[in-house]
Amino acid sequence: MGSEARMIDELKAEMPLEHDDDLVLLNEVEYGRKLGLVFVDILNGFCTAGAGNLAPTAPNTQISTMLGEAEKFAKVFCERKWPVMVFLDSHHPNKPEHPYPPHCIIGSGEEDLVPALRWLENDPNVTIRRKDCMDGFIGSIEKDGTNKFADWIKTNEIKVLLVIGICTDICVLDFVCSTLSARNIGLVPPLEDVVVYSKGCATFNFPVDVARNIKGSLAHPQEMMHHIGLCMAKSRGAKIVQNVSLGSLP
């Protein structure tokens, strides 16, 4: 355990992450910048212990923290009728997603929101988008070429997008990078800032001693990959914040 902690410290020393200023939601509203919240894959198959091939095998502190923050800000946004979009990984059994084992198969229950957030399905303020790929932006493309996520941004005139979810270095990162690229070429007006909440994101843990005994598998140390995912998102233009608060208006 000491060796792993040293490696994490060395990584953070070589790849320091400078967080951006805290996000104060009511301040953004006062400045005329409309807010939107995106949840990425906060579902049983990735978050509920023992729920599937990619779920934690036991309760996990990083994931539990993310769930607590997700529940808190779901209530903040819905109480104020600020728009929320929920991406849910949902796969057909005959369409595998390499290199991952079967997960979040439609009808299995893995593809459903975690119990604490199931109420979002019935909230008129919330848009649910089921996706069959890692990237929610790509998963929002319809056969006619329209993009449901881009339409949601435009319809709600969102300028500041808060992103919370799992996995920091996979589905969250892919979505953030695609959204930033789309913003940079004017495909998602009037979006200005994509804000990733570090405490509101999590990833999975697959230790090297376990991976070493499974042919073809790659180790995935949780704390390291979480940090790398945040660094990569920042390098692409996202704002990374350590604290998000409601704030108060004078």
Side-chain angles (χ1 to χ4, degrees):
M1 197 68 178
S3 175
E4 182 179 342
R6 283 195 299 273
M7 289 175 62
I8 292 170
D9 289 341
E10 289 172 5
L11 171 68
K12 291 182 177 181
E14 291 296 320
M15 294 179 63
L17 175 61
E18 183 178 345
H19 285 81
D20 291 279
D21 293 339
D22 294 350
L23 179 64
V24 182
L25 301 175
L26 287 176
N27 285 359
E28 299 297 333
V29 173
E30 186 180 13
Y31 299 149
R33 304 212 309 157
K34 291 188 177 180
L35 298 158
L37 172 64
V38 163
F39 284 146
V40 179
D41 292 341
I42 307 180
L43 40 71
N44 291 321
F46 297 151
C47 302
T48 302
N53 288 324
L54 297 183
T57 56
N60 179 276
T61 300
Q62 190 183 90
I63 293 175
S64 296
T65 299
M66 178 269 294
L67 291 175
E69 296 303 304
E71 186 176 4
K72 177 169 68 177
F73 286 105
K75 291 175 181 176
V76 166
F77 272 71
C78 289
E79 285 171 0
R80 287 157 184 79
K81 295 182 169 45
W82 295 340
V84 177
M85 176 168 267
V86 175
F87 289 119
L88 296 175
D89 213 38
S90 303
H91 297 289
H92 293 281
N94 60 342
K95 291 178 68 176
E97 186 176 53
H98 300 298
Y100 300 101
H103 61 280
C104 300
I105 302 299
I106 295 170
S108 68
E110 290 183 37
E111 81 284 21
D112 292 333
L113 277 162
V114 295
L117 293 178
R118 287 294 295 272
W119 59 271
L120 288 172
E121 295 176 355
N122 300 313
D123 193 296
N125 194 60
V126 177
T127 300
I128 304 286
R129 179 70 186 185
R130 293 194 176 274
K131 61 184 179 68
D132 61 355
C133 64
M134 287 174 262
D135 186 332
F137 188 93
I138 299 299
S140 294
I141 299 174
E142 301 284 10
K143 290 182 179 179
D144 63 3
T146 58
N147 187 297
K148 291 298 184 182
F149 167 72
D151 290 345
W152 176 78
I153 290 285
K154 295 173 188 175
T155 299
N156 292 288
E157 300 178 327
I158 294 167
K159 290 190 175 182
V160 180
L161 185 69
L162 175 62
V163 182
I164 290 175
I166 190 169
C167 291
T168 318
D169 55 314
I170 307 173
C171 296
V172 172
L173 179 62
D174 284 5
F175 165 71
V176 166
C177 290
S178 292
T179 299
L180 289 166
S181 292
R183 179 204 64 181
N184 291 346
I185 59 173
L187 292 181
V188 283
L191 185 63
E192 294 176 356
D193 291 328
V194 177
V195 181
V196 178
Y197 180 25
S198 59
K199 195 163 64 173
C201 291
T203 192
F204 67 94
N205 190 44
F206 193 52
V208 64
D209 57 326
V210 176
R212 193 178 287 127
N213 296 316
I214 301 175
K215 185 178 180 181
S217 64
L218 293 173
H220 190 278
Q222 184 180 47
E223 189 62 32
M224 287 186 185
M225 298 309 293
H226 177 69
H227 181 78
I228 289 170
L230 294 173
C231 287
M232 292 298 294
K234 188 172 179 67
S235 75
R236 302 297 178 85
K239 291 187 174 183
I240 310 298
V241 300
Q242 207 163 17
N243 297 294
V244 179
S245 64
L246 179 59
S248 59
L249 289 175

